[in-house]
Amino acid sequence: MSSGLMPANLERSDLQVDRPIGDWKFRLLGGLAEPGVPRIFTAAEFHSLVLRHRPGASTSTARLLASSLVQAGALRRVASGIYLNRRCLPPAELAEMAGHIRAGAVISLQSVLGECGFLNNPSAIVMAVVPTSASKRPNLGEVKTSGGDVFRFYGLAERFFPGADEDRWVLYQPGRACDMFRPEAALLQWLYLAGMKRSTVTPPPSDVDMGQLDEEHLDQLAQRWQLQAELKTWHDQAKSVGFGEESDRPHATVGEKRHAVAAADGAAARERLFARLGKKR
């Protein structure tokens, strides 16, 4: 009989006479939440985990179990043979895959600014930056996994990345499961990429929430990276339109505009009439 926590076909597989059906699978499911268990599994790593709970289990057994755990929401399949552990705390997120796809990649740009609420329309694409130099020429551009998720990688000079351990606190968000730039750094990197010659990156929009940023930290990083002019130009332009507040107001329809004009004309006519009546008295 199926317990409801595992598909019936899994509970009928790998049976043991001296053990209740499916016990090892439940132990493995619980083990996914234990400290130290990987947040991201390759197929080989997941098979190794299965072997700890079921010695001698075949790769096909591990593959079948992984598929069932994906259906149950305990794992998330990102690509062929790559899974996010959704039972660890906090659950593994898609952004954590960026560093596995491109070594040294750090989450930034729209991914960071959308998450913190700076942007009104967060991007579904995972944005990351990768350090480049004369000796480092990583593959950049867009990567689409077999699971349908899209990652986009941009190259940035090494000066934008931490040069020492103490720099990590200045540039990276603390307590994250993967390296992720602070929102202030993400905005400046966006401005830098948009300002490069022959860049295809468009500048940040004007309808943003500046209250989500530490403006003192933003100014300090702008000085550090010599991006004061780029920041001021964008900031002044966004401020001139109220950071998009005007665009949030509902637009009047053509009918509403005509009604407003007619009402104004009627009010003006009444005022003229009352003025004439007053003169006749």
Side-chain angles (χ1 to χ4, degrees), residues 43-44 46-48 50-51 56-66 83:
F46 185 72
H47 187 203
S48 296
V50 170
L51 289 172
S58 65
T59 55
S60 60
T61 295
R63 185 167 56 251
L64 178 62
L65 178 58
Y83 305 93

Side-chain angles (χ1 to χ4, degrees), residues 4-24:
L5 295 178
M6 282 288 178
N9 63 328
L10 279 175
E11 294 183 343
R12 289 193 296 268
S13 63
D14 299 314
L15 303 185
Q16 281 191 332
V17 176
D18 60 344
R19 181 175 297 173
I21 296 174
D23 266 9
W24 69 272

Side-chain angles (χ1 to χ4, degrees), residues 64-121:
L64 178 62
L65 178 58
S67 297
S68 297
L69 291 175
V70 168
Q71 294 176 8
L75 296 179
R76 175 178 174 178
R77 182 179 177 274
V78 180
S80 179
I82 303 291
Y83 305 93
L84 299 180
N85 183 356
R86 297 294 295 165
R87 283 187 51 81
C88 59
L89 296 175
E93 299 291 346
L94 183 62
E96 296 176 44
M97 275 296 301
H100 292 259
I101 297 174
R102 292 288 181 268
V106 182
I107 304 301
S108 186
L109 309 172
Q110 290 96 318
S111 291
V112 168
L113 295 167
E115 181 190 69
C116 76
F118 176 83
L119 295 177
N120 289 325
N121 299 302

